């Protein structure tokens, strides 16, 4: 499994090896040893596993969990294709306001680790795109917040030809500046 650091402090990309044969292929989307070697600590205890299915053009996010401590995520795309976007919205972070984007699909078998406090969004590039999440905390609606994925100051990379399909919550979400002024953003806590 190959690993690389993303432009957002603490966020990591992992690329698994596929083992094809006449039946199809086999992939281990998570390997504890590779994760620990790259991250310096094991993956969080998994509190919830979830998945979503989206048609082409659906944009989910930018979502984050109010902290502390927030929710860490390990995200894969076992079917379809999505542009996954991680946004640093943590007050005091050395990469505050930066984002990075990674194409997730079943061909290249990439996965993303998102530390607590970062924002997460994705753009479904194909019908029936499935996103799978391992989460460090269970979903609690009152703690789940959103920022506008269309915030011009963030300038997130929504691909040309995509007419974003957004939920009501995501359409009404504040910009990063509005959320900052309202004191909604999480704080950055460096790893020990």
């Amino acid at each position: 499994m190959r690993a690389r650091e993303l432009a957002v402090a603490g966020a990591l990309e992992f690329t698994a090896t596929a083992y094809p044969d006449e039946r199809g292929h086999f992939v281990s989307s998570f390997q504890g040893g590779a994760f620990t070697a790259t991250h310096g600590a094991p993956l969080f205890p998994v509190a919830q596993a979830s998945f979503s299915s989206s048609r082409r053009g659906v944009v989910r996010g930018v979502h984050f969990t109010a902290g502390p401590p927030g929710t860490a995520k390990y995200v894969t795309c076992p079917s379809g294709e999505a542009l996954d976007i991680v946004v640093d919205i943590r007050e005091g972070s050395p990469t505050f306001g930066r984002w990075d984007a990674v194409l997730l699909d079943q061909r290249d078998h990439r996965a993303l680790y998102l530390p607590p406090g970062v924002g997460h969004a994705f753009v479904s590039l194909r019908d029936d795109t499935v996103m799978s999440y391992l989460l460090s905390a269970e979903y609690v609606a009152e703690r789940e917040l959103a920022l506008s994925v269309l915030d011009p100051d963030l300038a997130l990379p929504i691909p040309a030809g995509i007419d974003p399909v957004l939920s009501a919550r995501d359409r009404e979400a504040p910009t990063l500046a509005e959320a900052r002024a309202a004191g909604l953003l999480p704080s950055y806590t460096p790893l020990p």
Side-chain angles (χ1 to χ4, degrees):
M1 181 168 274
R2 294 186 325 265
R4 79 175 176 98
E5 295 180 8
L6 297 179
V8 171
L12 303 168
E13 172 192 289
F14 294 90
T15 304
T17 301
Y19 299 96
D21 64 21
E22 66 278 355
R23 301 168 295 167
H25 67 273
F26 176 83
V27 174
S28 292
S29 60
F30 174 79
Q31 294 177 341
F35 185 88
T36 300
T38 303
H39 181 59
L43 184 68
F44 49 81
V46 175
Q48 182 172 317
S50 302
F51 73 90
S52 66
S53 177
S54 302
R55 67 182 171 94
R56 185 181 189 281
V58 167
V59 180
R60 296 182 191 253
V62 174
H63 299 155
F64 66 102
T65 305
T71 301
K73 298 178 182 180
Y74 191 84
V75 183
T76 60
C77 179
S79 180
E81 183 177 48
L83 184 65
D84 202 272
I85 306 167
V86 56
V87 184
D88 198 340
I89 59 170
R90 300 168 295 177
E91 293 277 4
S93 170
T95 57
F96 179 80
R98 284 194 211 157
W99 56 264
D100 207 340
V102 175
L103 182 65
L104 298 182
D105 59 28
Q106 72 273 9
R107 288 182 309 276
D108 295 318
H109 311 290
R110 292 184 188 100
L112 294 182
Y113 166 72
L114 309 176
V118 300
H120 179 239
F122 73 84
V123 181
S124 177
L125 301 175
R126 288 191 194 168
D127 285 340
D128 301 317
T129 291
V130 175
M131 297 293 284
S132 177
Y133 313 83
L134 298 179
L135 305 168
S136 66
E138 292 183 26
Y139 177 85
V140 178
E142 301 79 39
R143 295 187 66 220
E144 296 301 317
L145 303 175
L147 298 177
S148 174
V149 73
L150 303 176
D151 181 346
D153 290 336
L154 287 176
L156 299 179
I158 307 298
I162 294 288
D163 185 17
V165 177
L166 303 170
S167 68
R169 176 179 85 146
D170 290 344
R171 274 193 309 275
E172 298 164 5
T175 65
L176 180 64
E178 291 167 340
R180 191 178 204 181
L184 299 176
L185 300 181
S187 297
Y188 174 69
T189 304
L191 293 173

